[in-house]
Amino acid sequence: MINTGALAGRTIFISGASRGIGEAIAVKCARDGANVAIAAKTAEPHPKLPGTIYTVAEKIEAAGGKALPCVVDIRDEHAVQKAVTETVDKFGGIDICINNASAISLTGTADTPMKRFDLMMGINTRGTYCVTQACLPHLKKSSHAHVLNNSPPLNMKPIWFKNHVAYTMAKYGMSMCVLGMAEEFRDYKIGVNAIWPATPIATAAIDLIGGDEMMKTSRTPAIMADAAYAMLCRDPTTFTANFCIDEEIVTEEGITDLDQYHNCPGTPLVPDFFLGDEYPVPEAYNADSTAGSSGGIGKMMTKFRPLLTPEVMHKTAIVFAVDFGDGGKWTFDMKTKGTISDNDDTPADVTFQMTEDVFLKIIKGELQSTAAFMSGQMKIQGNLMEAMKLEGLFKQMRTKL
């Protein structure tokens, strides 16, 4: 999408922009000559996630904008207020507030420690509220004021709650800010909207969580940057209270070739969480998972045993189980014993619950594990981050069939 210059001289305060989607939005706006304050915690490089507020500041300046890197934990209202004050002192005001910072843990109630719950609520819901509140006095003075949250439409289907109710509550808190503040700020001529991707976005965080498989089925951050830019260029007095999907916005802007955003063209895309009924749903979501396999699970597991090499065990270092219900439970000890057994009582770090039919589809590559999880065909007990380590093993299993 070509920049129009509409945001030239505007000042943007964005949280969580040290990498990924936030970085892409910041640099996109900078191409117009915008001023961008980057409010994030990452001042030193993360061992697994590249990017800091300073590397993004360099990219903003290189793109033609002006940057102000601010080390901020948005759970700390004093730190947020300090960063807002520094932004106003440097650039003279704030026109746009973007709430991009977020924390995620796709775990059920029993597997979500209160510390993790507090982190998600503190960053997603409270952080969004805090940053917007601090920016509000300055947004009121702007002739082109926007608040944009990276948060989903408020889809109340139980499927989006049952597997990760804490995360859903935290993200929906951001969306409820949109719903309420759009009306609250209407008289101030401040537009308040949400942007959400139709597919996963290929960021370093997604690579860390889902590995190569998820990255291939994702789009690049450019689609979120283009969609956000288009939204921020619109008239805030009339464009407000919208829950927008990235591909719908860029299509409205005249972009018909969405393949340019595909991280791995030719690979089928998977849908993101929380999308509405009107949105296309992959066939896997409607698949009949009640039919059992014709047997042979034991023989198949025997074929898999050679895959548990010392190298693989060192890399994964977990015990996981596949629970087929009445079909039995198989335990993969990749921590100490290097065994696959249907009579091992070793406590599992992660347990996958599914039918034999769903398991076979995943191993054969007919059903992606992410789609199986999101559609409820596969349940996960334990830490999802640990579960994602097994994507590579599932691929290797496919070679043994």
Side-chain angles (χ1 to χ4, degrees):
M1 180 183 294
I2 298 173
N3 281 61
T4 64
L7 300 183
R10 297 293 182 184
T11 296
I12 299 166
F13 189 95
I14 179 170
S15 69
S18 57
R19 62 179 66 91
I21 294 171
E23 174 188 322
I25 294 173
V27 173
K28 177 69 177 179
C29 295
R31 295 193 183 106
D32 266 7
N35 310 313
V36 185
I38 313 143
K41 291 198 303 178
T42 310
E44 299 294 332
H46 187 282
K48 296 183 180 180
L49 300 174
T52 69
I53 57 174
Y54 302 112
T55 59
V56 174
E58 291 174 359
K59 293 177 182 179
I60 288 170
E61 299 276 354
K66 295 179 181 179
L68 176 64
C70 303
V71 180
V72 179
D73 182 341
I74 62 169
R75 292 172 294 176
D76 181 350
E77 62 264 38
H78 302 295
V80 170
Q81 187 58 61
K82 180 175 180 292
V84 167
T85 299
E86 290 174 354
T87 302
V88 173
D89 289 345
K90 183 176 178 66
F91 298 124
I94 295 175
D95 301 287
I96 295 168
C97 169
I98 302 176
N99 292 296
N100 179 71
S102 187
I104 181 172
S105 181
L106 299 177
T107 46
T109 302
D111 297 308
T112 306
M114 289 312 300
K115 184 176 180 180
R116 175 62 60 174
F117 178 92
D118 291 341
L119 177 71
M120 289 190 286
M121 294 299 289
I123 293 177
N124 300 2
T125 301
R126 187 181 188 278
T128 293
Y129 191 95
C130 178
V131 170
T132 307
Q133 183 185 70
C135 290
L136 181 58
H138 310 289
L139 294 172
K140 290 179 179 179
K141 299 174 184 178
S142 173
S143 61
H144 188 81
H146 278 279
V147 176
L148 180 62
N149 294 355
N150 183 354
S151 64
L154 289 166
N155 187 336
M156 292 298 165
K157 278 198 167 184
I159 189 173
W160 302 123
F161 290 84
K162 68 176 186 177
N163 293 324
H164 40 73
V165 64
Y167 174 65
T168 299
M169 289 166 63
K171 289 304 290 187
Y172 279 19
M174 297 176 70
S175 299
M176 292 172 74
C177 284
V178 172
L179 189 65
M181 292 176 181
E183 293 305 313
E184 182 184 357
F185 302 166
R186 192 180 292 274
D187 290 344
Y188 303 128
K189 299 181 179 179
I190 300 172
V192 186
N193 299 285
I195 180 68
W196 191 248
T199 71
I201 299 298
T203 62
I206 287 294
D207 190 22
L208 184 64
I209 294 172
D212 186 57
E213 179 180 347
M214 187 175 289
M215 292 289 280
K216 285 182 178 179
T217 59
S218 303
R219 287 182 172 141
T220 68
I223 189 169
M224 284 289 282
D226 283 353
Y229 174 78
M231 294 171 67
L232 295 173
C233 288
R234 296 181 181 183
D235 182 353
T237 65
T238 57
F239 186 72
T240 189
N242 299 291
F243 292 90
C244 301
I245 305 300
D246 57 357
E247 68 175 31
E248 296 176 4
I249 291 294
V250 298
T251 300
E252 289 174 8
E253 294 294 316
I255 294 178
T256 57
D257 178 20
L258 297 183
D259 286 343
Q260 64 181 292
Y261 298 116
H262 201 319
N263 194 48
C264 186
T267 303
L269 294 165
V270 298
D272 204 354
F273 294 176
F274 310 123
L275 300 175
D277 293 340
E278 73 283 359
Y279 221 77
V281 176
E283 183 178 350
Y285 272 54
N286 299 316
D288 181 4
S289 62
T290 60
S293 68
S294 58
I297 287 291
K299 293 181 180 179
M300 182 183 297
M301 295 300 182
T302 300
K303 293 181 180 180
F304 295 157
R305 286 191 177 98
L307 295 175
L308 273 60
T309 64
E311 180 182 1
V312 171
M313 289 178 62
H314 176 74
K315 185 177 181 180
T316 53
I318 63 173
V319 177
F320 78 94
V322 182
D323 188 347
F324 298 123
D326 293 338
K329 181 170 74 173
W330 289 80
T331 300
F332 292 62
D333 189 333
M334 305 176 68
K335 186 178 291 184
T336 57
K337 294 184 284 189
T339 57
I340 302 175
S341 174
D342 62 350
N343 60 2
D344 189 339
D345 294 329
T346 303
D349 301 304
V350 178
T351 299
F352 298 88
Q353 295 177 317
M354 67 188 97
T355 64
E356 292 181 6
D357 182 61
V358 170
F359 179 73
L360 289 171
K361 287 181 179 180
I362 291 173
I363 299 305
K364 291 178 181 179
E366 298 173 357
L367 174 62
Q368 293 181 351
S369 56
T370 49
F373 171 72
M374 291 168 63
S375 62
Q377 297 181 58
M378 176 178 72
K379 296 181 179 179
I380 299 176
Q381 291 182 342
N383 192 320
L384 185 64
M385 305 305 180
E386 291 293 315
M388 288 302 182
K389 290 182 180 180
L390 302 172
E391 288 291 348
L393 181 64
F394 287 159
K395 287 184 180 179
Q396 293 181 52
M397 288 177 175
R398 196 170 303 156
T399 67
K400 297 295 183 180
L401 296 179

